[in-house]
Amino acid sequence: MSGGRALRAQVRQVLDSGLLDQEWLEAQTGTAYAGPAEAATAYLTSHPRLSPHPLVEPDWIESEHTVPADEDPLLWWLADAERSATLSPHPLVDVSRLARPLSAWLGDARPDTRVPTPREVGPLTWGELRRLALTAVREHAALDAVERVPGPTPTLPAPPSGESPAGRTPGAVPLVSVLMACHDQAPTLRAAVASVQAQGLGDWELVVVDDGSTDDTDQVLAGLAAYDERIVVVRIPHGGLARARNAALARARGRYVAFLDPGRTWAPGFLAPVVAALEADGRDVAHAATRVRGGYHAVAPTHAQLLVDQHVDLDTLVVRTELLRELGGFDESLGGAGDHDLALRLTERHDLHLVPVVGADARRDAEPDAWTSVVLGRRLVDWDRADRALREPGRTSVVVVVRGNAAGILAWYGALRDAADEQAELVVVGVRVRRWIDTLIRVLTARQPTARYERVPAEVNNAVALDVGLARSSGEHVVLVSGQLVVPDLPALRRLAEPLDDDGVALAQPLLVSGQGLVVCAGATFGPGRSVRPVPFLEGHAVRDAQAADRTTLPAPLGPVVAARATTLLRLRGVDPLAGDGLPEVDLGLRAVAQGLGRTVLATDVPLTCTRAALPLRRRYADAIALLEERYDAPPPGSRAAWAAAGFDVVGVHHRLTGPDGERLTAKDLPLAVPQPVVVPHRSPLAVTEGLPALRWTIDLASPAGRKGESWGDTHFARALAAALERLGQRVAVDPRQARHRATRDHDDVLLVLRGLDRVAPRPGTVSMEWVISHPDLVDAAELASYDAVFAASVSWSAATTARTGVPVTPLLQCTDPALFHPGRADGEDAATDVLFVGSSRGVYRTAVRSAVAIGAPLTIHGVGWEQFVDPAAIASTFVANADLGRLYASASVVLNDHWEDMRRDGFVSNRLFDAAAAGARVVSDDVVGLPDDLGALVRFFHDEDELRRLLDERDTLFPAADERRALAERVGVAHSFDARAVTLAETAARLVRERSAE
Amino acid sequence: MSRLAVMAHYDPEGLVRPHARRQVEALVAGIEDVLVVSTARLDDESRRWLSERVRLVERANYGYDFYSYKVGLDTAGDLSAYDEVIVCNDSYVGPLRPYDRIVAEMAARPVDFWGFTRSARIGPHVQSFFVAFRPWTVASRAFRLFWSDMEPLSDRSKVIRRYEVGMSARLHEAGFTSAAYFEEDDDDRRLSRRRVRWWAAHRGRLPRSRAELEVFRQRLDVAWNPSAAMADRALADGRLPFVKLDTLRYDPYGLDAARLLTLCEKRFPDLFDGVRTTLEETATFYPQRPSERLLPTPLALRPLAPLVRYRVPARQR
């Protein structure tokens, strides 16, 4: 098939899909199309790619899925019915919520039809979505028209004819002064100078400033000057490019100045026509094109375009000398990006004029560095205006930098919607975002009254982006977010502003935790010694250690999130762009202290989840500390105090050595040594005879970290136990299973393993105790013997196991939290439910539920996995928060319970029995041995359905009356509380620790 | 103008041979300050002859000519006093044009150091039997470090790599440029390329396998040594202002060096007086190097010999 026919076939497919919106395409391109076919052709041949319809975004499809390189994403999406029914073609639509194809839905959709949007977006009608999207895309197109610089052209227009100044006889004063500044570039000098000597125009002087070179620059220049008296050599002590260029400018005698970097060469025909053009029309500035692969970069960029990128090559620019002097030459405070800065200053009042000849080969593109951000930042942020802007008391503005990542953007807007808090403002700064991301953000912003959006078309670093957002924000408090948080949590970020109520506090540092629930960073501390090399405070520790240091003063913040009063940030002139690629927040904190604006404190109230990658501690770290050490002579004080607040003494130093790039270190490398404190926990005296010593504990859990772990009973059990131990003066961390191997457990006195499915290796240096509360079959003699003490939640199993293995196992039954489970939590007189069962099916039709259904009992179930077994009407919910469980139990007429078979057989009385009994419920359970006597009156066993029926039918006579149950329940709450178990555990631990220390 | 020449001398029998005497006299005639560093066990007459004309430094025979250059430069003292510093040796018959003419012609060329010839063999370099350095080059860090870092080597090929080619490389890398008095034109290049192929056909048997063919192909394209490949350009009124004794002795490209000597004796009878005798007297000290041994001309190629062999250039310049 020929190309033309193939395209026609594709056009037909696009038209047939019903997913072509001509007006939408016209809004993107600013072009009117004769009809849908022309619009479809425009879409299919577009580069960069257009979107054919407000609900189809090819770039999104491509970013989310693997589309073959030669296929159009829309046609790829359409090609497979399964695909188009399940994968959404646009971030604002969720096709899985549609019962039919999107095009069919659109065919019937009216302006007031609700679009099936993803949860984060909220309700939106088709009419509103299209209207917002059209407005957004038009705004983008209008800006793009101003900012976009045309790409390379294959040919150059004919150069102007006219008298060339080439024939001019060199006079006493040269026509052009070529300024060249060099520092240790001797090898490239000759080629550069030769390209000047090869120019058709001979009436020039070359002022070469040797900027304190230590190579043979001076001798090479001497050799050049010996043969060409137009070459003037100036030597100055090394002082940087801008100063060297200014020194050259000071010596320039020509009417015009041109520039040449010694690493480059001019095209032979550059100078004469550009100077001729200046002479001809009396302009002050002109420049030539550069040669790029496949053509020429031939543009005369405007100031607005230069704010996007450095489009003009200084080495092809010729300026009237007087003008450059009026502008003050080059800015010597800049360590780089001086070219860009000059181009921006020139274009503030003068238009650039392109002479269509080649000046040079284009520079090889270098990564924009921090200086580019400094130069652009000066022009993108109007600090005086920001100072004058009114700020809303009580409002917190969260400034977020985005560069792509549509899912991340949706999450932020979803978080804003969930927060439903008019004092929470979201300021999104899009850095060099593409058309569709820009449009998406505009649509989302338009729907959120407290969202603001600022677009930065240039590739600036996060510091500049945050400053732009700060200037745009309206809140009294500002939270700067420069990295991706795993869960954008606006209420948490709002609370981060709370410490700022204290006037002495300038910055609030959040507690950053990993997906494993360990501390990633709680601010910056500095190791002993004079280096200014921050390390993440409490990295790898359990959150509990950070909580001990809540509201502690830190030497500096560290990490992608920091909160401050807007006034503080404005006085600091925001985040420093020069520090922006490294650790700008550290610099911010240090400047705040230096300027007397206040200290940095740690706020641990709501941990924020992020990855370690959010801290630039590898690749960019060396640059970051180079800057910090240039600015600050010594590390700020406060590191020891911060550690002390967390409960640690700094007793030594350990140097982390990395290669200069943060990677592997070889013997040849000069290592980067980062001093890290070696800490030991404060020890309480063990010798006291009365009361318990304060020990550090970790409870090792079988349940996973994060949201998943919240549905595990073990998680809540461990937390309640930890709280009870804390009430006894212990410090207790609770580790999810992923945190099991963290090194910082070595700071602990006691490890308490709640045995789940995993066997856990005790640490020989720590007192280790195991409490077998489930899966007794998995525990063998070797495991038991590896612990200093073993408890089990069964009287019979403990006795049998002790006899069988010779390892003493102490019975320690399950327990309850009387604060949550007590009769007072009932909703009313036996009100809510009749027969209650709380628990997941675990994939089996559990005895209690099966029996209850069999006898037709009025059953209410809370738990997952029951749909396949029971009438859905009986399932009240799939999840009950632990805090609500007590209320359900207390309000139920009967609480049903059963055990895993092995648990039942071995006498592991379920914690539900304790909870329900403590709530004063009538409990009907399968038969389990070893039920404590004080539960006896509240718990009745059934062995078959007949027995269950009798228990339910005769509950009023078989169970004590309400008042009596209440009294019994309260006794259960005392005898079988977490506090009671905690006393046993703590006393045992104290005894073992004392025995060890006596050894 | 004030120039310094350091000439390295060696003779296995402790003599200063006629060609070397003429070379010393030519230096003295054209260069203000001449210093000869000899590694020969000079006999009294030779020592006296040299001492009457130049500053003479005698030293033990190690480190080849480059170490003699170094000793000479160290002995000369403050090099910044000179407008040009020259190092040369006694390995050639010449100059075929007076040194002051050569030096004056080169003074107009905007380069940092220069020699009689440049070669691209191993790496682009100025051939080290005659090199002149401009004062800024002499003052450079690269020049100073090159000589101060030098240690005597006793392996000829290492000397060539590290010092002859290495010196040019080091100065080029530092940003300096070089040139040669002998400027090759297209005719020269064409003939040189032909002569390299002739040489290649004599270096080993004709290829019989794919691998041998590849080696042969590479040999066809190696860069030539102009002092051998262009040796008969000396006959063009000294356009190449020297003839290397090695060329006459070994005929490295198999171009009939005996014929070249005869032509040279005819064209420059005074300058070549005694050269034939010197070659004969020293032959035992300079056996053929195995790396330069050539095979007899294959029968099929014999008719082509007149196209490549040394001859009086058609265009006299």
Side-chain angles (χ1 to χ4, degrees), chain A residues 186-187 190 214 216 219-220 223 227, chain B residues 107 112 134 136 141-142 173 177:
Chain A
R190 275 207 172 257
T214 56
D216 279 323
Q219 303 305 339
V220 172
Y227 285 94
Chain B
D112 301 312
R134 297 274 147 80
W136 50 85
R141 202 177 122 82
E173 280 160 19
T177 52

Side-chain angles (χ1 to χ4, degrees), chain A residues 605-836:
Chain A
D605 319 40
V606 190
L608 301 172
T609 309
C610 71
T611 61
R612 199 173 182 280
L615 308 178
L617 295 176
R618 284 204 165 272
R619 222 159 34 82
R620 301 199 310 266
Y621 186 71
D623 290 341
I625 61 168
L627 182 109
L628 290 173
E629 293 189 342
E630 191 184 304
R631 289 189 177 174
Y632 307 97
D633 291 335
S639 296
R640 271 176 192 279
W643 278 106
F648 293 89
D649 288 324
V650 178
V651 295
V653 61
H654 147 76
H655 288 93
R656 184 170 59 87
L657 300 182
T658 60
D661 53 357
E663 300 298 329
R664 255 184 55 232
L665 185 64
T666 68
K668 278 194 306 188
D669 288 329
L670 203 58
L672 182 69
V674 183
Q676 325 226 41
V678 174
V679 297
V680 294
H682 296 319
R683 294 272 168 224
S684 78
L686 294 173
V688 280
T689 47
E690 277 181 52
L692 291 163
L695 300 177
R696 290 176 55 91
W697 296 59
T698 289
I699 300 178
D700 181 293
L701 266 185
S703 50
R707 205 176 281 181
K708 220 170 169 188
E710 294 302 307
S711 61
W712 282 55
D714 292 24
T715 308
H716 303 286
F717 184 87
R719 279 189 199 149
L721 181 60
L725 285 163
E726 294 258 352
R727 284 192 287 275
L728 295 173
Q730 311 298 301
R731 182 193 279 194
V732 188
V734 178
D735 277 356
R737 63 193 300 259
Q738 294 96 326
R740 185 161 290 155
H741 303 307
R742 68 178 165 92
T744 47
R745 274 192 186 178
D746 291 343
H747 295 306
D748 292 341
D749 303 301
V750 185
L751 169 68
L752 173 63
V753 175
L754 296 182
R755 182 58 151 101
L757 280 166
D758 309 319
R759 178 173 173 181
V760 179
R763 297 199 181 184
T766 307
V767 164
S768 304
M769 307 197 295
E770 181 165 61
W771 189 359
V772 182
I773 56 173
S774 60
H775 302 290
D777 290 355
L778 298 174
V779 183
D780 63 15
E783 178 178 342
L784 295 173
S786 68
Y787 285 90
D788 298 307
V790 181
F791 301 91
S794 163
V795 176
S796 58
W797 189 84
S798 297
T801 305
T802 304
R804 180 167 51 84
T805 63
V807 181
V809 178
T810 310
L812 189 66
L813 297 186
Q814 285 264 4
C815 53
T816 186
D817 182 351
L820 294 175
F821 299 92
H822 59 87
R825 298 203 68 195
D827 286 336
E829 283 295 304
D830 277 11
T833 46
D834 192 351
V835 179
L836 172 72

Side-chain angles (χ1 to χ4, degrees), chain A residues 37 55 83 123 137 184 207 220 248 268 336 461 492 505 646 731 736 838 945 948:
Chain A
L55 287 182
R83 195 182 287 155
V137 86
D184 287 349
V207 186
V220 172
N461 61 26
V505 175
R731 182 193 279 194
V838 181
E945 286 154 14
L948 177 62

Side-chain angles (χ1 to χ4, degrees), chain A residues 46 54 63 155 263 324 870:
Chain A
S46 58
S63 70
T155 54
L324 188 56
V870 301

Side-chain angles (χ1 to χ4, degrees), chain A residues 23-31 49-53 137 141 435:
Chain A
E23 187 185 356
W24 170 248
L25 274 159
E26 288 172 346
Q28 291 168 72
T29 59
T31 313
R49 199 182 280 123
L50 300 169
S51 154
H53 187 278
V137 86
R435 186 257 312 146

